[in-house]
Amino acid sequence: MRIMSVVGARPQFVKLAPISKAITQLELDHVIVHTGQHYDPLLSDIFFQDLEIPAPNAHLGVGSGSHGVQTGAIMSQLDEILKKFSPDCVLVYGDTNSTLAAAISAAKLDYPIAHLEAGLRSFNRKMPEEINRILTDHSSDLCLAPTELAMKNLANEGLQERSVLVGDVMTDVLFQTKEKINSENIGNRLTGTTENPYYIATIHRAENTDDPLRLSGVISALANADLPVRLLAHPRLIQKANEMNVTLDRGSIIVSKPLAYPELVAAVLGSSAVITDSGGLQKEAFLLKVPCVTYRTETEWVETINLGWNTLANSEFEITQALNDLGKLKKVHENPYGDGYAALSAVQEIRDRFSR
Ligand code: UD1
């Protein structure tokens, strides 16, 4: 049986790592297609190296562009790739433009589709990711859900029969990386961050980077934070801050490049808290038992909030208040995200449903 993974953006490479291992373990054939949505080595190649993912079988090299341009560029090349490799199942990951493009292409050519991380909803249709998720779930033949809540969301949209709970594959890779870090002491490679307390911050979502008021609000809160803030700057943040004349390197902020995955996990493990608008990082902080402040109005990972580890903060004032109140959080130790074997369950499910 042949499974084709289509990936293109940083978080998808992280999810691909345990899936790739599970496919090898079950002795199935795996074709990896990289759309090229992310192309900077720090957002792409380094993940393949560190997480030991085989090199892609095809690289579409689409690069950046508006939503229509990027999604269309991927689709315009995928017909040929699908016909060339003729997979038994096309596996798509998460909620990026690469995810939606691959799902539409595969659906039109009648290839079975499985969607990993199905059923997440923010209920905010202004987010491009929310549109990508909904359309991908409804194009898919198999919705692989990470949580009970995701299963409920799928059932509410009439997708119950094609949905199955497998757990969260990012938990698999996080647990494996944490073990490696403990044994290799990667934390020591992070100069200047291991001894004194610090926060880790990332901001990259369009609703935050592209709005001058929201961008200057969060940067001002970080600059006035009570501890040094290591701001791991996505290229989009740098570009938008330059365009809007927002200075990033000031006050408590220390601007640094995005980190490779093991370094990121080590940096979060050593931090006092995380401030972010990333979905993945909220969950990584939770799993590493580090409190998180999320600069958004809502989150898809509501378990992190309900269990007391994560706080939504939607303005400069609310971020500052949330950082001041970190000590008051009533944190519950529970894991709603699976046992670290989600990738194996997902691939077994795909094999059982689609092998000919
Ligand atoms: C994309 C996903 C988002 C995901 C994020 C992970 C969509 C709609 N969004 O957002 O869901 O959380 O990836 O990081 O698919 N750029 C570079 N180098 C790169 C890639 C991008 O400089 O390798 C810059 C370009 O200026 C580009 C901008 O970043 O225009 C945004 O990149 P894009 O791929 O459109 O979206 P992300 O913000 O990365």
Side-chain angles (χ1 to χ4, degrees):
M1 175 189 193
R2 173 173 290 171
I3 299 171
M4 177 187 280
S5 286
V6 183
V7 290
R10 177 170 58 176
Q12 293 169 330
F13 310 137
V14 177
K15 293 164 202 165
L16 173 62
I19 290 287
S20 163
K21 288 202 173 76
I23 291 177
T24 306
Q25 193 180 333
L26 295 176
E27 298 180 344
L28 306 175
D29 189 14
H30 192 198
V31 170
I32 298 175
V33 178
H34 189 321
T35 65
Q37 177 169 350
H38 283 177
Y39 43 87
D40 280 346
L42 276 179
L43 297 189
S44 172
D45 301 0
I46 198 160
F47 289 85
F48 283 79
Q49 286 156 28
D50 284 339
L51 299 174
E52 295 168 1
I53 305 167
N57 302 77
H59 199 302
L60 311 185
V62 298
S64 300
S66 64
H67 291 288
V69 166
Q70 196 172 51
T71 311
I74 298 167
M75 289 176 65
S76 71
Q77 295 187 59
L78 267 180
D79 286 0
E80 212 171 297
I81 302 276
L82 284 163
K83 283 182 197 149
K84 177 175 169 191
F85 290 103
S86 188
D88 298 297
C89 172
V90 177
L91 178 58
V92 298
Y93 298 67
D95 56 18
T96 73
N97 290 342
S98 297
T99 317
L100 178 62
I104 296 175
S105 291
K108 293 263 186 178
L109 294 184
D110 202 23
Y111 289 96
I113 307 163
H115 182 205
L116 191 73
E117 221 176 60
L120 294 183
R121 296 290 181 268
S122 64
F123 301 102
N124 175 0
R125 289 178 76 106
K126 290 204 172 109
M127 287 174 68
E129 291 83 359
E130 183 76 351
I131 306 300
N132 290 344
R133 292 178 190 125
I134 294 171
L135 296 177
T136 302
D137 281 338
H138 284 260
S139 311
S140 295
D141 303 281
L142 175 60
C143 292
L144 299 162
T147 60
E148 296 279 3
L149 184 61
M151 287 294 284
K152 262 192 211 150
N153 292 336
L154 290 162
N156 288 341
E157 293 175 25
L159 302 177
Q160 192 162 14
E161 284 186 4
R162 64 177 94 159
S163 302
V164 56
L165 177 65
V166 291
D168 171 48
V169 297
M170 281 183 103
T171 301
D172 301 12
V173 66
L174 184 74
F175 285 172
Q176 287 157 19
T177 307
K178 190 177 157 197
E179 258 177 46
K180 257 197 187 167
I181 288 170
N182 289 338
S183 59
E184 293 171 12
N185 212 354
I186 289 175
N188 288 346
R189 280 163 41 192
L190 294 164
T191 46
T193 62
T194 45
E195 283 160 26
N196 301 319
Y198 63 90
Y199 298 129
I200 286 287
T202 74
I203 298 294
H204 78 280
R205 280 191 189 276
E207 62 263 34
N208 293 329
T209 55
D210 299 10
D211 175 336
L213 280 179
R214 288 192 66 80
L215 181 61
S216 53
V218 64
I219 295 305
S220 182
L222 299 182
N224 292 320
D226 58 326
L227 293 178
V229 177
R230 283 195 56 165
L231 177 60
L232 312 176
H234 185 291
R236 179 184 203 121
L237 173 64
I238 305 268
Q239 187 192 327
K240 294 293 173 184
N242 283 341
E243 280 171 26
M244 293 173 199
N245 285 326
V246 174
T247 307
L248 297 179
D249 216 340
R250 66 191 165 99
S252 300
I253 301 176
I254 306 157
V255 179
S256 81
K257 294 198 163 134
L259 294 177
Y261 190 70
E263 275 82 1
L264 174 78
V265 174
V268 172
L269 262 175
S271 70
S272 300
V274 168
I275 304 134
T276 191
D277 60 1
S278 151
L281 195 51
Q282 289 170 51
K283 187 156 38 78
E284 281 152 354
F286 168 82
L287 292 166
L288 295 169
K289 303 191 173 26
V290 171
C292 183
V293 175
T294 297
Y295 187 47
R296 282 183 50 192
T297 43
E298 71 286 304
T299 176
E300 302 76 26
W301 303 106
V302 285
E303 302 83 3
T304 62
I305 306 264
N306 295 343
L307 295 170
W309 292 85
N310 191 5
T311 309
L312 293 175
N314 202 32
S315 64
E316 177 180 350
F317 172 75
E318 285 180 14
I319 295 173
T320 306
Q321 198 174 38
L323 290 176
N324 288 339
D325 289 348
L326 284 174
K328 296 185 194 160
L329 291 174
K330 292 200 169 50
K331 305 190 280 286
V332 178
H333 290 268
E334 251 179 49
N335 182 9
Y337 297 123
D339 51 10
Y341 295 94
L344 194 59
S345 307
V347 177
Q348 275 166 341
E349 200 63 45
I350 291 170
R351 181 193 58 189
D352 295 349
R353 298 244 179 160
F354 301 123
S355 69
R356 281 183 275 198

